[in-house]
């Protein structure tokens, strides 16, 4: 060691070598200490002074008493002047905020939002306050005329579809789609939800992350051999094209759902607002926000289109009566919350009505399932098993005897929907990968087939009776196949959507 420190001139163990090694080690340690001291001095100089930072200022700038220890001194007049100017600027900037808080007073819900969302604030969009307002709602009609020469609206059900919709679909056979017959393009970001018009399915509603909802014509009239428009208007309103675009969310749309008659629909977005739209005119009838929380699902009460339910990020299900104005005139909502269902421990993901609309099922991130009587805020049944996973999506079987849930452990579970709600453990559907994605479910009109999306952009079809997988195919790129919908009349039409901005119609 001494030989290396002395440059190799002395012998190991001699006094001369040891002395030169000690001198070299002392010199290097002195340089290190001086370098560290200078770095500390530079760091302290950048921290500020007592005038700006108070008692927490660095020791080197606390006054004349510390000059001998560290070498600090009084600040030049220019620095003192800058500090005074900065102090005045900060006081002027904070004055409006203080006046605003003093004028508005104390609001427990608003001030406690940060506390309530501290564990999952990175999963939800920015919070609202009482001054936050929704963006102006607008809509655009894509076509020449909204009515034909007979006075029939573009929104009207095509001739012949009412008769086909009233027919007993359980007696008809259904077929598994084999090829893509059309691509609906127009959204600029991923499509989150796709819903067919109730009963007839002549229109398709889509909700996208670009903040818009679109209504599309799916061309079911041409397959039935009739048309809802005249020959002159058919050129202005082409088949399988966008009919109307609804813009009312500052952020992406997460869910959208029709009312029972299809004349209105509701959409929820990441801007924490729920919009209720007139489907035909495109006017926004209501703007709702449940105590400034994010809504993950919206659904109308099937027996009353003026009752809307939404599952929110604060573990509650909110129920609005759209006919009743809000209690507070300064509220961000245009309707009153008439009921709250509060038993979940985490965000609510789905609300599904069962048993002739007398009850509904709710699921959440807490891996629990509750059964509620409508308009009674106390659950009648609570389902939670150690092996259960979160179920973000639920679909009701056409027979209304069963409902299936998309479990995040890569399987679909089945429950009995009538008198005694219980899980049918032998009826599980496996083979797809959905962990981490809330992929949608759908049944064929006769209830024979069950279809589901996949986290890898695939679509799977199972036989509901035997739980055997019949077919799978790749349908979307750049992400999952996030939602699927089977046409209510055409037995072989299936719609899929994903994060590649495209909606596909399969036949």
């Amino acid at each position: 060691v001494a030989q290396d420190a002395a440059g190799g001139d002395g012998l190991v163990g001699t006094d001369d070598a040891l002395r030169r090694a000690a001198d070299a080690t002392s010199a290097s340690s002195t340089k290190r200490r001086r370098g560290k001291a200078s770095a500390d001095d530079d760091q302290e100089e950048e921290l500020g002074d007592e005038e700006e930072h108070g008692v927490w200022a660095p020791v080197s700038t606390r006054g004349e008493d510390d000059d001998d220890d560290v070498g600090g001194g009084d600040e030049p007049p220019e620095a003192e002047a800058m500090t005074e100017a900065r102090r005045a600027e900060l006081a002027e900037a904070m004055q409006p905020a203080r006046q605003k808080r003093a004028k508005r007073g104390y609001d427990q819900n608003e001030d406690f939002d940060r506390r309530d969302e501290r564990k999952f604030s990175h999963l939800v969009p920015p919070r609202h306050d009482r001054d936050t307002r929704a963006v102006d709602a607008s809509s655009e009609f894509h076509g020449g005329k909204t009515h034909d020469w007979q006075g029939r609206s573009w929104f009207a059900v095509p001739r012949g579809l009412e008769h086909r919709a009233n027919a007993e679909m359980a007696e008809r056979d259904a077929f598994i789609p084999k090829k893509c017959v059309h691509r609906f393009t127009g959204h600029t970001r991923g499509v989150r939800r796709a819903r067919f018009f109730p009963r007839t399915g002549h229109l398709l509603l889509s909700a996208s992350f670009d903040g818009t909802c679109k209504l599309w014509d799916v061309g079911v009239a041409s397959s039935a051999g009739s048309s809802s428009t005249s020959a002159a208007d058919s050129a202005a309103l082409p088949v399988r094209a966008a009919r109307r675009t609804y813009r009312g969310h500052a952020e992406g749309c997460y869910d959208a759902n029709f009312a029972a008659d299809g004349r209105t629909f509701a959409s929820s977005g990441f801007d924490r607002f729920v919009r209720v739209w007139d489907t035909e005119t495109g006017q926004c009838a209501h703007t709702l926000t449940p105590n400034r929380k994010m809504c993950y699902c919206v659904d109308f009460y099937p027996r009353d289109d003026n009752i809307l339910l939404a599952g929110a990020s604060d573990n509650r299900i909110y129920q609005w009566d759209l006919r009743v104005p809000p209690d507070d005139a300064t509220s961000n909502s245009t309707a009153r919350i008439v009921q709250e269902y509060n038993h979940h421990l985490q965000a609510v993901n789905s609300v599904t009505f069962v048993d002739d609309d007398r009850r509904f099922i709710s699921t959440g991130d807490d891996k629990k399932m509750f059964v509620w009587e409508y308009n009674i805020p106390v659950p009648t049944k609570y389902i939670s098993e150690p092996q259960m996973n979160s179920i973000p999506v639920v679909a009701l079987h056409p027979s209304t005897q069963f409902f299936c849930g998309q479990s995040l452990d890569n399987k679909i579970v089945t429950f009995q929907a009538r008198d005694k709600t219980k899980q049918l453990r032998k009826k599980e559907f496996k083979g797809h990968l959905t962990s981490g994605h809330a992929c949608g479910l759908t049944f064929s009109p006769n209830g024979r087939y069950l279809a589901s999306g996949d986290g890898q952009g695939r679509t799977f079809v199972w036989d509901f009776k035997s739980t055997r997988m019949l077919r799978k195919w790749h349908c979307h790129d750049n992400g999952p196949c996030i939602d699927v919908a089977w046409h209510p009349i055409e037995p072989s039409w299936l719609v899929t959507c994903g994060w590649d901005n495209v909606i596909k119609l399969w036949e």
Side-chain angles (χ1 to χ4, degrees):
V1 176
Q3 184 178 6
D4 295 338
D9 295 336
L11 298 176
V12 178
T14 62
D15 294 339
D16 187 23
L18 293 175
R19 185 165 49 254
R20 278 184 287 179
D23 294 341
T25 304
S26 176
S28 61
S29 61
T30 302
K31 290 182 179 179
R32 287 195 298 268
R33 286 197 299 270
R34 289 178 179 175
K36 182 177 181 180
S38 62
D40 294 340
D41 293 343
D42 295 340
Q43 184 176 4
E44 289 179 354
E45 289 177 1
E46 296 176 357
L47 291 178
D49 54 13
E50 188 175 5
E51 293 291 337
E52 183 176 356
H53 298 281
V55 297
W56 301 108
V59 180
S60 60
T61 59
R62 286 195 184 168
E64 298 178 356
D65 297 340
D66 301 328
D67 290 349
D68 298 336
D69 298 335
V70 190
D74 294 336
E75 293 182 345
E78 294 81 1
E80 185 176 358
M82 290 294 293
T83 303
E84 293 293 339
R86 179 59 178 168
R87 189 185 301 109
E89 182 182 354
L90 292 176
E92 183 180 357
M94 294 179 63
Q95 190 66 20
R98 292 172 179 171
Q99 294 176 355
K100 187 177 180 181
R101 288 195 298 266
K103 181 179 180 180
R104 288 166 44 175
Y106 176 74
D107 189 315
Q108 179 178 357
N109 292 331
E110 179 179 326
D111 295 338
F112 283 3
D113 272 353
R114 182 179 297 275
R115 183 205 67 178
D116 295 341
E117 298 182 359
R118 66 187 184 275
K119 292 184 179 179
F120 57 91
S121 59
H122 61 289
L123 301 176
V124 294
R127 293 181 298 274
H128 288 178
D129 58 23
R130 72 192 81 173
D131 296 326
T132 304
R133 293 293 181 265
V135 298
D136 295 335
S138 63
S139 66
E140 179 184 0
F141 179 71
H142 306 284
K145 299 179 181 179
T146 58
H147 294 77
D148 62 2
W149 62 277
Q150 292 179 331
R152 303 183 72 244
S153 171
W154 66 273
F155 178 75
V157 178
R159 300 184 186 92
L161 280 188
E162 285 289 351
H163 176 72
R164 297 180 63 191
N166 294 330
E168 185 63 36
M169 296 304 299
E171 299 178 356
R172 298 187 179 183
D173 198 4
F175 306 95
I176 301 176
K178 296 182 179 181
K179 62 179 180 179
C180 178
V181 295
H182 191 74
R183 293 162 54 94
F184 298 92
T185 59
H187 286 294
T188 58
R189 292 190 179 180
V191 183
R192 180 64 181 84
R193 189 69 70 207
R195 306 279 192 188
F196 278 111
F197 194 86
R199 296 181 65 249
T200 58
H202 65 290
L203 298 173
L204 175 68
L205 175 66
S206 62
S208 171
F209 290 142
D210 59 8
T212 65
C213 295
K214 287 181 179 291
L215 202 63
W216 312 79
D217 175 49
V218 296
V220 67
S222 60
S223 66
S226 62
S227 175
S228 61
T229 59
S230 64
D233 292 334
S234 62
L237 298 177
V239 177
R240 291 177 179 171
R243 289 290 184 260
R244 188 178 284 277
T245 299
Y246 309 83
R247 298 181 178 90
H249 294 281
E251 304 291 340
C253 293
Y254 190 84
D255 192 20
N257 215 340
F258 278 112
D261 59 357
R263 297 185 179 274
T264 58
F265 73 90
S267 63
S268 65
F270 286 99
D271 57 354
R272 301 195 180 204
F273 282 102
V274 175
R275 297 279 199 174
V276 180
W277 303 85
D278 185 289
T279 310
E280 181 178 3
T281 63
Q283 295 180 352
C284 179
H286 295 280
T287 300
L288 313 171
T289 177
N291 296 331
R292 302 174 293 274
K293 305 300 180 182
M294 168 70 186
C295 290
Y296 293 108
C297 61
V298 288
D299 195 7
F300 286 91
Y301 181 48
R303 297 186 180 182
D304 190 352
D305 294 338
N306 292 306
I307 302 297
L308 177 66
L309 279 76
S313 60
D314 62 345
N315 318 337
R316 301 183 183 185
I317 302 171
Y318 292 92
Q319 178 178 319
W320 287 278
D321 191 336
L322 303 180
R323 297 162 294 192
V324 182
D327 296 329
D328 187 3
T330 62
S331 173
N332 288 336
S333 299
T334 59
R336 183 183 303 176
I337 297 176
V338 296
Q339 191 63 270
E340 294 183 9
Y341 306 86
N342 183 15
H343 270 76
H344 280 281
L345 301 179
Q346 292 187 25
V348 181
N349 290 326
S350 70
V351 173
T352 307
F353 283 92
V354 298
D355 198 9
D356 296 331
D357 306 325
R358 293 192 298 263
R359 300 183 298 166
F360 66 89
I361 309 295
S362 67
T363 61
D365 287 341
D366 53 0
K367 304 179 183 181
K368 296 176 174 60
M369 181 181 295
F370 288 98
V371 183
W372 310 79
E373 294 283 347
Y374 170 70
N375 214 21
I376 299 178
V378 179
T380 60
K381 189 164 186 178
Y382 162 63
I383 302 175
S384 179
E385 300 291 344
Q387 68 274 10
M388 280 185 62
N389 278 263
S390 177
I391 302 176
V393 180
V394 174
L396 183 65
H397 191 269
S399 66
T400 70
Q401 299 290 332
F402 314 96
F403 66 89
C404 290
Q406 186 77 264
S407 182
L408 290 187
D409 56 350
N410 301 324
K411 65 182 180 182
I412 300 174
V413 293
T414 308
F415 292 83
Q416 184 175 336
R418 283 294 179 179
D419 301 329
K420 187 176 182 181
T421 304
K422 62 179 181 179
Q423 183 178 356
L424 305 178
R425 301 188 182 277
K426 293 184 178 181
K427 192 176 285 295
E428 294 182 348
F429 305 88
K430 302 178 181 179
H432 60 322
L433 299 176
T434 58
S435 181
H437 297 283
C439 298
L441 299 172
T442 185
F443 287 95
S444 61
N446 61 357
R448 178 180 178 183
Y449 301 120
L450 170 65
S452 169
D454 175 72
Q456 297 181 348
R458 299 173 295 180
T459 299
F460 288 74
V461 178
W462 293 270
D463 184 276
F464 182 74
K465 184 176 181 180
S466 64
T467 70
R468 184 169 61 94
M469 185 174 63
L470 301 177
R471 188 168 184 263
K472 64 178 180 179
W473 69 93
H474 185 83
C475 53
H476 291 279
D477 301 323
N478 303 328
C481 174
I482 202 64
D483 200 15
V484 293
W486 215 301
H487 197 276
I489 293 180
E490 294 295 336
S492 63
W493 284 15
L494 183 71
V495 161
T496 63
C497 63
W499 290 353
D500 54 357
N501 313 346
V502 179
I503 307 170
K504 295 185 179 181
L505 176 62
W506 302 82
E507 184 178 8

